[in-house]
Amino acid sequence: MRNDHVTLRSTAVFDLLAPRTPAVPVQVELRYDTKDPYAVVAAFRTGRAGWVEWVFARDLLADGLIADAGDGDVRIRPAADDPEVVVIELSSPSGHAMFEASAQELADFLDRTYDVVVPGNEHLWVDVDEALTYLISNDLT
């Protein structure tokens, strides 16, 4: 386990898509933290109410830049009509949202994460003992 943790942050604007209405720009902060090296966080600005965060696999983001990826709450794919755009779909019990984002901005962010933690080396950043201590001390049953 490594002790030199790093958090990367990048801001972007995604277009929220809805039927029969113009796209709505939404501020998004992308985060990558070596304390959870397998994951990416996308925090969506929701106005005065704050932020809504979605956590998903870094590999899902990488796969979604080149082909349909995901079969759960998060799905990512290149736009059918524009290779410079990526479609991100988020589903939850409270609703469904579809966004378009710049493929280049997402790829640049992903490249920055690879500079910090090379794919395949994520396990070197995980402290299993610390995670187990957290789970036991918080009695998640």
Side-chain angles (χ1 to χ4, degrees):
M1 196 253 346
R2 306 274 306 262
N3 289 323
D4 48 343
H5 289 289
V6 173
T7 301
L8 299 175
R9 297 177 190 277
S10 181
T11 58
V13 174
F14 291 4
D15 288 330
L16 175 62
L17 306 176
R20 299 174 298 281
T21 60
V24 176
V26 176
Q27 182 183 355
V28 179
E29 180 184 71
L30 299 170
R31 287 193 313 270
Y32 179 76
D33 191 320
T34 57
K35 290 182 181 178
D36 190 359
Y38 293 100
V40 169
V41 176
F44 295 83
R45 182 76 175 160
T46 60
R48 288 187 218 169
W51 298 83
V52 173
E53 293 187 351
W54 283 77
V55 180
F56 51 91
R58 178 170 74 158
D59 288 347
L60 176 62
L61 179 58
D63 293 346
L65 289 173
I66 56 175
D68 283 2
D71 56 7
D73 295 343
V74 179
R75 297 177 55 95
I76 303 173
R77 69 179 178 278
D81 58 346
D82 187 349
E84 295 182 13
V85 174
V86 172
V87 176
I88 300 170
E89 288 186 70
L90 307 174
S91 298
S92 75
S94 61
H96 177 266
M98 186 179 310
F99 297 90
E100 287 185 341
S102 163
Q104 188 61 57
E105 285 182 5
L106 293 174
D108 289 347
F109 173 73
L110 196 58
D111 286 345
R112 288 178 53 215
T113 74
Y114 293 160
D115 290 341
V116 175
V117 178
V118 175
N121 286 343
E122 294 91 350
H123 67 282
L124 298 175
W125 292 83
V126 175
D127 185 340
V128 175
D129 291 333
E130 181 181 316
L132 288 173
T133 300
Y134 173 79
L135 291 172
I136 292 168
S137 68
N138 288 295
D139 191 23
L140 298 176
T141 58

